[in-house]
Amino acid sequence: MEEEIRAEFEGSGFTIGGDSAQILSTLLTYCVNYKMSPADLVSNWEVYYLNRQLDGLKVESSYLDGFLSHLQNEVKEKLIKEETDLHIYSSNDVDMLLSNTHTDEEGFLGTPSTKQEKPHGESSNSELTPLTTERPSSIRAAKTNGDRITPFAQRVNKFTQHYVLNADNVASEPSKDDVETSEDELIRRIQPSQKCTLQVQRSKPEPGCRFMYDRMEDRFNYLEDRIGRSARLFSATGLCGQPADATLASEENMFAVGMVICDGEGRLNEKSILLQGSVEHSRGQRVRLDLKDINQFSLFPGQVVGIEGHNPSGHCFVASKLTDSIPISVDDQLPCAKKQAGDHEGHQNSNTLSRVLSSVIAAGPFTTTDNLSFEPLQELLSYACRKQPQLLILMGPFIDSDHPEIKKGTSDQSFHDIFHFEILRKLQDFTQYLGHNVRVILVPSVRDAHHDAVFPQPAFDLHLSEDITQQITCLSNPSLFSSNEIQFGCCTVDILKQLSGDEISRKPPGGKATDRIGRLATHIVKQQSYYPLYPPAAGVPMDFSLAKEALEIPSAPDVLLLPSDLAPSVKVLSVNEDTEEHKRFICVNPGRLSKGIGGGTFVELYYNEDTEKTKAFIMRI
């Protein structure tokens, strides 16, 4: 029998290393105890070898203990599948019963598969049970590695406010009065019984669209349209005249419009700045820019600028004035809103709900890197049940393709099943618990393993029932919508981090240091594009055939949501301060709900008429 085991391993490309006699004797014991043939044993070893990503093709004695645990788990899962009412008790159940501090584990004491077998949409009588028992047993058993009490569950200082935003854009630690105001007065001001309205201004591309079909022509048309449209808007102001060809030699002062391009593969610097004009004005040619006479600027590849100066030699354009904000067209209005079903209820209260909104905003990942239990999401929904916001905005990634267990493929369920059981069902229970007066918005990410990896990205196509559709709305990435007449813009690609790596700037001599994160965020509004960077950063699956309409921002929204790996922040920013087009808006980076094996941050936003009365709190989960 031992020789048969050796032959099976060698036939699959493996060799027995070290003390071969002892290893073969141990493997024979496994075959006898678990009633397996040598072929079955080798098949299980191949699964274990791939999941653990072991080095080399030798079967070492140090691997056998882990292989034994793998075989035991396989037998358990087989028994659970065959006997649906069977629960195999272990030391974890004893730990759970002895622990008095983790009351949220009470929902696990029953049969692990009970919750999955409940009819879809059925709610529980317990207040928080729908939010605490929604874990499939197979994922729970495989992903927590037998540890019921995870590092996330053992964290301290839960739901602490560590940032308060006021009208002066000054961050401070919250005082006791701030906490009482946020929890009492602001919530009473917006009663949970008042349902907020929701209109979708822009959510493109549509689910089911064709992608990965963009051609070189699409890329050319996208860039040409951005430069040409900006040139027309500059001309329409009457302050700059008609754009000229910056590549022609001339001692006379001229005005040109073009896109900032880097001359080379490296990062942009003052010696490598080129200006690429449109086909209409300069045949798409490029010219080097000399910015020695410009005291202050902030530039990045792909930025469209208006620039004054002269080109004495025909090889270098010497700039005397630079404008990085594209004028807003007087005819450029937001697209007609697509009314969501059920909004007539909100319009009945439009007088009392006008531009007043309570919201909770969070961005994924929604689970820690050591498991797929989605504990941070569960904690967030429990918190939202207590605060009862009118609007809950969740931005991806939901099933993070960068999660270690997703990358290794060790999950025994499909990505769509994980999304359905761990996220969607929790959200359905959350909406059922709070009633019809809460809305949930889901925005995908290019890191979502269960969704189309393309940018711009279509919304989730969930095929929900009509009742749930009134409360859970799926939007594209990026998207533009309004709630209670407050306009929101949202993009889950980390454009802030990508711009921070490519931007160069110069401040006036003796000038004060500016808010860099705020400056990066204003570039989005000034360029009227959710993704003005070109070429796109590595890892962004840009499809230029879908980008023209989807990435455009007609005007500055009231709230701009830009989740990022950078430090979480909430800032009141201004654009076009010296013109009639002056606009103040709030830029929100809620951070990530989970970071590593611990909790992250999210944002509570209480919008009240304008930025002067609005309050925001960054909460550490």
Side-chain angles (χ1 to χ4, degrees), residues 536-555:
V540 178
M542 177 74 78
D543 190 318
F544 289 93
S545 66
L546 305 174
K548 181 178 178 181
E549 293 184 355
L551 298 186
E552 183 181 329
I553 304 178
S555 61

Side-chain angles (χ1 to χ4, degrees), residues 347-410:
H347 287 299
Q348 294 175 358
N349 298 324
S350 59
N351 293 332
T352 58
L353 289 177
S354 178
R355 295 184 63 77
V356 177
L357 182 72
S358 64
S359 60
V360 170
I361 303 166
F366 292 94
T367 187
T368 52
T369 56
D370 58 339
N371 59 61
L372 287 174
S373 300
F374 290 85
E375 292 172 290
L377 175 63
Q378 183 171 308
E379 292 281 353
L380 176 71
L381 295 181
S382 298
Y383 180 84
C385 281
R386 297 194 299 271
K387 287 303 186 76
Q388 300 187 10
Q390 294 171 292
L391 188 64
L392 174 64
I393 302 175
L394 301 181
M395 299 171 284
F398 295 91
I399 310 300
D400 188 7
S401 58
D402 290 338
H403 191 284
E405 297 187 15
I406 296 295
K407 292 172 71 173
K408 292 179 181 178
T410 57

Side-chain angles (χ1 to χ4, degrees), residues 267-425:
R267 183 177 177 180
L268 190 69
N269 59 68
E270 294 188 22
K271 301 296 183 182
S272 65
I273 303 175
L274 301 180
L275 185 73
Q276 176 177 314
S278 65
V279 173
E280 178 183 357
H281 296 107
S282 63
R283 304 169 303 284
Q285 294 185 344
R286 300 175 177 179
V287 65
R288 188 171 302 279
L289 277 183
D290 185 347
L291 301 176
K292 62 182 180 181
D293 296 330
I294 306 294
N295 291 329
Q296 183 176 7
F297 63 80
S298 174
L299 299 176
F300 59 88
Q303 183 180 21
V304 179
V305 297
I307 193 163
E308 291 184 17
H310 63 285
N311 187 351
S313 65
H315 302 289
C316 182
F317 190 92
V318 181
S320 58
K321 182 180 179 182
L322 186 147
T323 305
D324 62 357
S325 181
I326 300 173
I328 298 176
S329 172
V330 294
D331 299 326
D332 207 356
Q333 302 295 330
L334 288 174
C336 295
K338 298 178 182 178
K339 306 292 184 180
Q340 297 295 308
D343 274 353
H344 62 278
E345 300 174 7
H347 287 299
Q348 294 175 358
N349 298 324
S350 59
N351 293 332
T352 58
L353 289 177
S354 178
R355 295 184 63 77
V356 177
L357 182 72
S358 64
S359 60
V360 170
I361 303 166
F366 292 94
T367 187
T368 52
T369 56
D370 58 339
N371 59 61
L372 287 174
S373 300
F374 290 85
E375 292 172 290
L377 175 63
Q378 183 171 308
E379 292 281 353
L380 176 71
L381 295 181
S382 298
Y383 180 84
C385 281
R386 297 194 299 271
K387 287 303 186 76
Q388 300 187 10
Q390 294 171 292
L391 188 64
L392 174 64
I393 302 175
L394 301 181
M395 299 171 284
F398 295 91
I399 310 300
D400 188 7
S401 58
D402 290 338
H403 191 284
E405 297 187 15
I406 296 295
K407 292 172 71 173
K408 292 179 181 178
T410 57
S411 173
D412 55 357
Q413 289 200 348
S414 70
F415 301 147
H416 284 88
D417 287 343
I418 298 175
F419 179 77
H420 177 79
F421 287 114
E422 294 290 352
I423 294 176
L424 192 56
R425 281 195 176 182

